[in-house]
Amino acid sequence: DAGVTQSPTHLIKTRGQHVTLRCSPISGHKSVSWYQQVLGQGPQFIFQYYEKEERGRGNFPDRFSARQFPNYSSELNVNALLLGDSALYLCASSLVGRANEQFFGPGTRLTVL
Amino acid sequence: GDSVTQMEGPVTLSEEAFLTINCTYTATGYPSLFWYVQYPGEGLQLLLKATKADDKGSNKGFEATYRKETTSFHLEKGSVQVSDSAVYFCALTSQGAGNKLTFGGGTRVLVKP
């Protein structure tokens, strides 16, 4: 079975631009979470979605937004990019209510110049 | 709020040496505890978990015991291999926090032949 997939793999943007990252969960998983991992640090929780609704939000500015589609895939959007947004963005999927069994994708490496 | 503290690396070992990575946590209630591993250029893989006090998680020769009295979840392996070279993250989810994983800063392990 396919694992969590994310696209694109790498992305280079300039300050002030907007970016959209995509995630497809494991088949049957309805919950998707997003994390930001700055180089040399542990991942930080951004959002959790299931049933197309936001179920949790980390300490990130409103420039960060996300949504979930009827097929349970998800998009993470970041507006007005800053240099500090450069990071690996990770998506994790799980069955609803199974926080103890989350599976991560390979991530999207975003570089902001 | 929830937090995880783990020993800073890098930890450099010779093959077949004993590995310990310390992890302590602060959380409300009874969190579930995890160790994730990140190989170069890849996303996170769940290594092991423990969901209640005194539980021992184990996988691929790695072990960690949930110690509530010391709020610790130290990772150990008796004989490391070069292929164990990676970054290891201790993490937790707490009750009422949904799927939110709180991670430590990571510990880089380098095993030399």
Side-chain angles (χ1 to χ4, degrees):
Chain A
D1 286 342
V4 178
T5 59
Q6 293 186 242
S7 63
T9 304
H10 296 88
L11 203 52
I12 298 174
K13 293 286 188 178
T14 57
R15 282 178 296 177
Q17 286 189 312
H18 162 272
V19 69
T20 297
L21 311 180
R22 296 177 176 83
C23 171
S24 292
I26 291 171
S27 178
H29 286 190
K30 298 181 179 180
S31 174
V32 172
S33 299
W34 287 94
Y35 292 81
Q36 180 196 63
Q37 186 181 14
V38 172
L39 191 63
Q41 298 181 18
Q44 298 291 318
F45 173 77
I46 310 176
F47 289 112
Q48 182 197 359
Y49 274 78
Y50 64 86
E51 298 297 346
K52 296 177 289 182
E53 291 189 13
E54 182 182 303
R55 304 291 181 169
R57 185 184 182 108
N59 188 25
F60 281 80
D62 291 344
R63 299 185 297 107
F64 288 77
S65 63
R67 56 179 176 166
Q68 187 176 36
F69 299 97
N71 66 355
Y72 305 108
S73 66
S74 177
E75 283 183 355
L76 176 69
N77 296 283
V78 187
N79 293 323
L81 285 167
L82 303 174
L83 295 180
D85 296 330
S86 295
L88 180 67
Y89 288 84
L90 296 165
C91 173
S93 78
S94 71
L95 297 170
V96 173
R98 301 293 289 272
N100 293 337
E101 296 180 7
Q102 296 187 61
F103 296 86
F104 283 81
T108 294
R109 172 74 62 188
L110 172 65
T111 301
V112 182
L113 301 177
Chain B
D2 298 341
S3 68
V4 176
T5 301
Q6 58 182 108
M7 60 188 289
E8 291 189 16
V11 175
T12 303
L13 303 165
S14 297
E15 211 165 18
E16 299 184 2
F18 184 87
L19 170 67
T20 298
I21 304 176
N22 290 339
C23 171
T24 58
Y25 67 89
T26 302
T28 53
Y30 300 91
S32 294
L33 303 174
F34 307 85
W35 278 100
Y36 282 85
V37 59
Q38 189 172 37
Y39 297 102
E42 298 185 12
L44 297 171
Q45 297 178 25
L46 177 64
L47 182 59
L48 53 83
K49 66 181 179 184
T51 58
K52 61 182 187 294
D54 300 325
D55 268 2
K56 177 185 284 187
S58 61
N59 186 26
K60 300 181 181 180
F62 290 89
E63 293 184 340
T65 301
Y66 188 147
R67 301 289 188 197
K68 189 165 179 61
E69 64 275 14
T70 54
T71 62
S72 65
F73 192 54
H74 304 322
L75 182 69
E76 297 181 336
K77 186 174 185 182
S79 177
V80 293
Q81 305 300 313
V82 172
S83 58
D84 294 324
S85 297
V87 181
Y88 293 82
F89 293 95
C90 185
L92 66 82
T93 57
S94 60
Q95 293 171 317
N99 273 27
K100 177 185 175 182
L101 281 160
T102 298
F103 287 87
T107 302
R108 181 174 299 278
V109 173
L110 177 61
V111 181
K112 295 185 175 181

